């Protein structure tokens, strides 16, 4: 209690200083910019996070971090992901589990390579060797990792920051080589052809990021009729049912029935091996008026007719699936090929609805070809010249003279239906500014077919949250083709193979893998570029090193990150494999969840995780994607430290960012924006001020000296503990289910409805007016102490800084120096007393009803403070009557008075209606009458009492206050 400073102009004594006022250093404002880093320094100095994770008694909990790409500033997606992980880890730590969160970064790949290249001049680029590029890329990646790591730390994320995993680390790369090697030795890795973007002008494969699509590209498109030579019996009878009889003889058939296709790359026609249809589309056989039937998509029949400038009359209509099995002959080459079912990429947006399919020259074509066992024919060389496989077109260049010659040949054969120029987006080489083509090249593949069944079984054994994740990954894995894992890039982990210079034979065996792995474990993957074959080959081959050439391909970065289970969760001390949890955005069913699953299943026959949890994406408040052009990007650093204009973008601190993560239902996409942040900061302030009120009233409370036994507590206090127990149960369940938005709602409701507006509202009189050591005050402090400790612990996973700040400001010894050492909050059984629930519920409803009437009086300015009021209540239900009786008979006289709970000066239950009312209400629960209280206002406690003026020393005080002063 502070001393009276005197100097009152007023002659009467001031009673303000005889009240027990709030006293705490825990501020109303968070001052997060300064306070949060202080608290983080405290954790670091004491080693609390890592020590706890190591020394806890419980079993290890392994949340394996999915590596963000080491490029660019942190955004809200990172915040959602890393804070969710941190909430889970902190909760598990407080539950007594061991936790070692190893943060990861994905460091290889084209975007970083391009960043390095873009920062160089043309001359510098030309002088660049692969090893120089790799060194520069590594420097760039390390710098990016450092920047992102600083951001994560500022968010309050706990992790083993001094020992992260980076996909460019030696031991990581060695483990990845091991994964590749094991898959190869098990027969899951093979070399095959696959179409890629190819630039004939620079004679290299290109990645999507190296392409540009200039305006004004025109291609010579052609409509071509392929003569049909054979019909499946089923189709023949279906046509017959529709009255259409087609000849059985091949020659006769080819004269009168043609499959119409359309292509913008006539040079690919020599590589045609099939025509693909969409099995669900309708196709018609249309008479073109010249005694010929054309097969086209029914929906396109009219538009094709007008293009061809001749009527097309549908004679029969069938589904795409019915066309499968038709055989046609190539119009230019001696070759017969089938109609096959393609996929949903076949539409009626353009063309004929039947797609010319050249597996060596298109991705859809390749996939369809793979499905139907077609070879990957690619009669085009590095320079874009047609090879001998193109027959009489050999020697023509596909970007120069091939199209014109082929179109003329089509015309001569009578199969050209129409030629027209077609403007469309077409990929060009970003360096040479020349058009590119699709061309099949030799690539390395992981044969998913070899372990698909095992992968599907593994999926079945994993818990997917939300459950829809299972279907997503299941259908992706069951439908996916083989995994092309090679890239023609420099910044990556090498595919550790050697090619025989003469024969092209491949050296890839246990010996060669072990040798390369050991070299990389010692020196890092740079060794592959630094050393010659003689040093890279195993001793068994070093004598004939001149015969061998090391491969130049690197691995797909998804293979890098997909091997993280091998280099992190299964290798680092104490971590568990399979990991307990993987947690990433829902796009990772296609990405990391899948690549990790495939490598882990291929090597060990098991999924690398037990549970997979996914989250959606951060959108703006209107549900739009964030983009610079829309100006709706929310920057996590601006949330924490404020923007340029701190009025519009105040510094909310990391805890408000974390509170946002907890508040959203992340199973779907989640919104964020200025309005949402304002609301969150209100909630944050409510929790903070409730905590401050609890702390401020505990300044003279020492539990060991002052606490009241639970069994001796008044009903109100016991109810408050019972309520706290219920809320903590629900919060624990929410954490267990990773449903943090429920925690957010429970916390808000507990602080506002249960504490602020009810328990603490009523408690003011007990806390301020009573003598410091009065039981009615000590009992309330007992409850407040029990609650503040548990509240701090329960919010610690989310609001870690505020929780620690509360803990540091608990005025009595707690026995632990950090809230995180206090464990996940539990409650003694004696807190639980279900019998309090029903009557208290009645009384709280009554209180709400009375407050409504009092509020009405206040709004009409008939009443100031509620203590000016007198209230009469007539219960209308027997349950309320029971509750009133219960309170009267079982309640503590000093605390459990309904008059005090209602914050009024006089209360009458039942009796005659009053005459002079300020307001009244007659509802289902009770008749409520409000009048002005009689008596005078006590200067100290503000109650209206009739015994004021009876004490000569304190003429303005009520008898209760006088007796308090006498006891002080
Ligand atoms: Zn008083």
């Amino acid at each position: 209690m502070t001393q009276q400073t005197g100097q009152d102009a007023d002659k009467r004594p001031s009673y303000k200083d005889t009240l027990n006022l709030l006293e705490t250093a825990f501020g109303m404002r968070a001052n997060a910019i300064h306070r949060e880093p202080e608290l983080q320094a405290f954790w670091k100095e004491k080693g609390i996070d890592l020590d706890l994770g190591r020394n806890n008694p419980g079993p290890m909990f392994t949340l394996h971090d999915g590596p963000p790409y080491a490029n660019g500033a942190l955004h809200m997606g990172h915040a959602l992901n890393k804070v969710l992980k941190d909430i889970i880890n902190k909760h598990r730590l407080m539950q007594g589990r061991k936790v070692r969160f190893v943060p990861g970064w994905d460091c290889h790949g084209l975007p970083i390579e391009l960043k390095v290249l873009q920062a160089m001049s043309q001359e510098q680029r030309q002088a660049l060797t692969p090893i120089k590029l790799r060194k520069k890329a590594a420097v760039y990646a390390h710098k990016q990792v450092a920047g992102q790591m600083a951001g994560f730390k500022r968010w309050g994320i706990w992790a083993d920051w001094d020992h992260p995993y980076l996909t460019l680390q030696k031991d990581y790369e060695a483990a990845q080589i091991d994964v590749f090697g094991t898959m190869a030795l098990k027969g899951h890795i093979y070399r095959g052809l696959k179409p890629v973007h190819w630039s004939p002008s620079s004679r290299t494969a290109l990645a999507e990021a190296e392409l540009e699509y200039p305006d004004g590209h025109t291609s010579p498109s052609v409509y071509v009729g392929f003569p049909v030579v054979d019909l499946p019996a089923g189709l023949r009878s279906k046509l017959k049912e529709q009255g259409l009889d087609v000849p059985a003889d091949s020659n006769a058939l080819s004269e009168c029935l043609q499959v119409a296709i359309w292509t913008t790359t006539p040079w690919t026609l020599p590589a045609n091996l099939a025509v693909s249809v969409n099995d669900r589309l309708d196709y018609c056989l249309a008479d073109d008026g010249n005694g010929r039937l054309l097969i086209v998509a029914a929906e396109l029949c009219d538009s094709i007719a007008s293009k061809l400038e001749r009527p097309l009359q549908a004679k029969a209509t069938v589904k795409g699936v019915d066309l499968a099995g038709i055989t046609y002959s190539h119009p230019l080459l001696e070759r017969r090929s089938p109609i096959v079912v393609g996929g949903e990429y076949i539409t009626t947006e353009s063309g004929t609805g039947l797609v010319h399919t050249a597996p060596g020259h298109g991705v859809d074509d390749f996939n369809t070809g793979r499905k139907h066992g077609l070879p990957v024919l690619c009669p085009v060389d590095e320079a874009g010249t047609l090879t001998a496989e193109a027959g009489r077109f050999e020697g023509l260049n596909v970007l120069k003279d091939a199209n014109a010659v082929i179109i003329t040949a089509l015309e001569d054969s009578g199969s050209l239906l129409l030629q027209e120029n077609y403007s469309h987006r077409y990929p060009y080489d970003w360096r040479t500014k020349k058009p590119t083509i699709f061309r099949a090249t030799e690539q390395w593949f992981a044969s998913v077919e070899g372990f698909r069944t095992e992968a599907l079984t593994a999926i079945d054994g994993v818990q997917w949250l939300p459950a829809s994740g299972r279907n997503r990954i299941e259908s992706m894995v069951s439908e996916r083709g083989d995994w092309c894992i090679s890239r023609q890039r420099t910044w990556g982990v090498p595919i550790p193979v050697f090619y025989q210079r003469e024969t092209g034979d491949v050296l890839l065996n246990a010996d060669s893998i072990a040798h390369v792995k050991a070299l990389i474990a010692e020196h890092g993957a740079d060794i592959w570029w630094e050393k010659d074959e003689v040093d890279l080959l195993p001793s068994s081959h070093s004598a004939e090193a001149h015969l061998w050439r090391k491969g130049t391909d690197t691995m797909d970065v998804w293979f890098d990150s997909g091997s993280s289970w091998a280099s992190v969760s299964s290798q680092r001390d104490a971590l568990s494999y399979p990991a307990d949890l993987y947690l990433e955005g829902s796009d990772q069913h296609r990405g990391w969840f899948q690549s990790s699953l495939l490598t882990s299943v291929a090597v060990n026959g098991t999924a690398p995780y037990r549970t997979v949890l996914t989250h959606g994406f951060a959108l703006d408040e209107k549900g739009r994607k964030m983009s610079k052009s829309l100006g709706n990007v929310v920057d996590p650093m601006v949330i924490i430290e404020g923007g340029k204009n701190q009025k519009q973008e105040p510094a909310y601190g990391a805890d408000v960012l974390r509170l946002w993560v907890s508040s959203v239902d992340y199973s779907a996409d989640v919104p964020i924006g200025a309005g949402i942040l304002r609301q969150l900061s209100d909630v944050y302030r409510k929790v903070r001020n409730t905590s401050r009120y609890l702390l401020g009233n505990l300044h003279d409370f020492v539990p060991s000296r002052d606490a009241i036994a639970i069994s001796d507590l008044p009903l109100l206090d016991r109810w408050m503990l019972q309520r706290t127990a219920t809320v903590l149960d629900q919060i624990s369940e929410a954490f267990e289910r990773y449903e943090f938005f429920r925690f957010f709602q429970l916390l808000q409701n507990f602080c506002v409805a249960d504490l602020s507006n009810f328990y603490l509202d009523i408690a003011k009189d007990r806390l301020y007016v009573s003598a410091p050591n009065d039981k009615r005050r000590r009992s309330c402090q007992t409850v407040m102490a029990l609650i503040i400790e548990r509240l701090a612990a329960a919010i610690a996973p989310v609001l870690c800084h505020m929780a620690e700040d509360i803990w540091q400001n608990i005025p009595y010894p707690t026995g632990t120096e950090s809230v995180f050492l206090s464990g996940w909050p539990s409650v003694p059984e004696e807190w639980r007393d279900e019998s309090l629930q029903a009557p208290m519920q009645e009384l709280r409803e009554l209180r709400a009803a009375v407050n409504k009437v009092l509020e009405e009086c206040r709004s009409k300015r008939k009443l100031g403070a509620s203590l000016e009021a007198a209230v009469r209540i007539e219960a209308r239900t027997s349950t309320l009557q029971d509750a009133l009786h219960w309170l009267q008979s079982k309640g503590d006289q000093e605390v459990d008075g309904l008059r005090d709970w209602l914050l009024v000066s006089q209360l009458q239950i039942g009796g005659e209606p009053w005459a002079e009312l300020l307001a009244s209400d007659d509802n289902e629960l009770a008749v409520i009458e409000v009048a002005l209280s009689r008596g005078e206002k006590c200067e100290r406690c503000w109650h209206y009492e009739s015994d004021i003026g009876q004490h000569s020393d304190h003429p303005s005080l009520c008898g209760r206050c006088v007796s308090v002063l006498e006891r002080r």
Side-chain angles (χ1 to χ4, degrees), residues 769 938-943 945 948 957-962:
V769 175
C938 168
E939 198 192 336
R940 185 170 176 274
C941 71
W942 297 5
H943 278 70
E945 300 289 351
I948 288 168
L957 297 195
C958 70
R960 181 172 68 123
C961 283
V962 170

Side-chain angles (χ1 to χ4, degrees), residues 369-383:
R370 193 152 274 268
K371 213 158 71 180
H372 296 284
L374 302 175
V376 184
L377 174 61
C378 180
V380 178
D381 73 7
E382 288 194 338

Side-chain angles (χ1 to χ4, degrees), residues 241-417:
E241 280 168 23
Q242 298 183 42
L244 187 60
D245 225 347
V246 289
D249 172 68
S250 275
N251 279 334
L253 189 60
S254 66
E255 292 292 316
C256 71
L257 182 59
Q258 289 189 352
V259 179
I261 62 98
W262 174 72
T263 178
T264 60
T265 50
W267 61 264
T268 59
L269 286 171
N272 174 280
L273 292 180
V275 166
S276 303
V277 292
N278 183 331
D279 53 346
R280 299 189 306 174
L281 286 179
D282 284 329
Y283 292 85
C284 64
L285 286 72
D287 190 332
D288 76 345
N290 292 339
R292 187 169 56 175
L293 292 166
L294 285 180
I295 307 180
V296 295
E299 213 173 293
L300 288 166
C301 193
D302 289 345
S303 65
I304 293 170
S306 71
K307 265 187 196 299
L308 301 181
E309 292 176 346
R310 67 175 80 142
L312 283 180
Q313 200 187 358
K315 292 291 180 190
T317 303
V318 292
K319 289 282 175 202
V321 68
D322 300 320
L323 300 176
I326 287 181
T327 305
Y328 63 87
S329 73
H330 198 290
L332 304 176
L333 302 165
E334 282 298 316
R335 186 189 297 150
R336 291 188 168 194
S337 302
I339 288 187
V340 297
V341 170
E344 291 305 315
Y345 67 91
I346 299 166
T347 66
T348 52
E349 264 165 42
S350 55
T352 63
L354 296 106
V355 173
H356 147 58
T357 298
H361 295 294
V363 174
D364 288 330
D365 305 43
F366 175 79
N367 291 333
T368 297
R370 193 152 274 268
K371 213 158 71 180
H372 296 284
L374 302 175
V376 184
L377 174 61
C378 180
V380 178
D381 73 7
E382 288 194 338
T385 307
L386 289 166
T387 64
E389 284 182 299
R392 57 179 157 131
F393 304 108
E394 181 184 2
L396 298 171
N397 189 286
V398 302
L399 290 173
K400 292 176 187 144
D401 44 6
N403 282 339
V405 175
I406 288 169
I407 290 168
T408 304
L410 288 170
E411 207 167 4
D412 294 346
S413 73
S415 53
L416 183 69
L417 298 172

Side-chain angles (χ1 to χ4, degrees), residues 906-921:
Q906 277 137 34
L907 174 69
Q908 180 184 316
I909 307 279
E912 292 298 312
W914 290 351
E916 287 177 40
L917 295 181
L918 294 177
S920 68
D921 185 29

